[in-house]
Amino acid sequence: MTEGSSQPSATSDSPLDELKQGIRNIPDFPKPGIQFKDITPLLADGRLFRMALEQMIGSHQPDDIDLVVGIDARGFIFGAAAAAMLNAGFVPIRKQGKLPFETIEQSYDLEYGSNTIAMHRDAVLPGQRVLLLDDLLATGGTAAAALELLQQLQAQVVEAVFLVELEFLSGRKLLGDVPVRSIIAY
Ligand code: AMP
């Protein structure tokens, strides 16, 4: 090994800048007026995907958390990978009608209409330490409904973590006392 032989890194950007570069904005998807944050470029880059997971896991250590709960559908991608890294189990919260066993369900309002999410009623035991993960916090309706389900099962929600937060929508106000953390804010 020769001292001073290391190459300058390809980029001097901070990790957060690098992660941001893996998220592309798609105007007017899926409908006019929505700025859709497309995370597929980040997922397709192994280094960025791992960086995103490490940031989302934060200071949690393996075996600190019993279960990572991920929200349909992009929450599954981060949730399942984070669960494996934390030596924790993974629980999906799905759209209504997808889970095969007995479910508990929670509806919430969307801009137009409403949506219902569901979880298996035996998915979490009272007092289990849960980390709730999703790709993005917008109005907070989805995450608030997920927290309702977890509360019904008497989970101990340690933290709710999002890769992206649309701060101007103030979604975290709907999440009550649960500690909320996001990695990238717009
Ligand atoms: P909300 O219930 O408004 O907080 O919306 C959060 C859910 O909708 C998350 O599961 C996101 O994946 C998705 N979502 C909402 N807004 C966007 C957006 N602008 N770009 C990408 N995904 C979004």
Side-chain angles (χ1 to χ4, degrees), residues 4-182:
S5 68
S6 66
Q7 297 293 314
S9 62
T11 166
S12 56
D13 287 342
S14 74
L16 291 191
D17 287 334
E18 284 195 70
L19 288 178
K20 265 189 167 175
Q21 286 161 19
I23 299 172
R24 81 187 147 193
N25 194 63
I26 313 282
D28 299 320
F29 182 88
K31 51 187 179 190
I34 306 277
Q35 303 285 328
F36 192 87
K37 302 298 178 202
D38 176 18
I39 55 160
T40 59
L42 181 152
L43 296 177
D45 182 320
R47 197 176 63 88
L48 288 185
F49 185 26
R50 173 165 282 275
M51 255 167 68
L53 286 165
E54 284 167 353
Q55 295 281 336
M56 290 175 89
I57 286 171
S59 60
H60 300 292
Q61 297 296 315
D63 299 317
D64 277 1
I65 301 288
D66 296 309
L67 294 169
V68 177
V69 173
I71 304 177
D72 205 343
R74 288 178 293 275
F76 297 169
I77 299 168
F78 294 102
M85 288 166 79
L86 285 169
N87 201 28
F90 175 76
V91 168
I93 289 187
R94 297 214 60 183
K95 298 189 176 103
Q96 186 181 39
K98 300 285 186 188
L99 288 170
F101 186 59
E102 289 168 37
T103 56
I104 54 170
E105 304 193 347
Q106 182 70 38
S107 299
Y108 59 98
D109 291 331
L110 299 172
E111 199 180 353
Y112 300 102
S114 71
N115 201 15
T116 302
I117 55 172
M119 190 162 101
H120 276 153
R121 65 176 326 114
D122 64 352
V124 182
L125 299 174
Q128 278 194 303
R129 290 171 57 82
V130 164
L131 192 61
L132 179 68
L133 288 199
D134 202 2
D135 67 325
L136 187 140
L137 179 67
T139 65
T142 312
L147 289 173
E148 280 288 332
L149 293 176
L150 289 166
Q151 204 174 12
Q152 269 189 57
L153 295 183
Q154 296 171 264
Q156 186 191 337
V157 181
V158 176
E159 192 172 41
V161 182
F162 305 88
L163 179 62
V164 178
E165 178 176 6
L166 303 183
E167 273 183 338
F168 54 92
L169 294 174
S170 306
R172 64 168 68 210
K173 284 195 187 146
L174 290 188
L175 307 188
D177 294 340
V178 172
V180 177
R181 188 163 55 87
S182 64

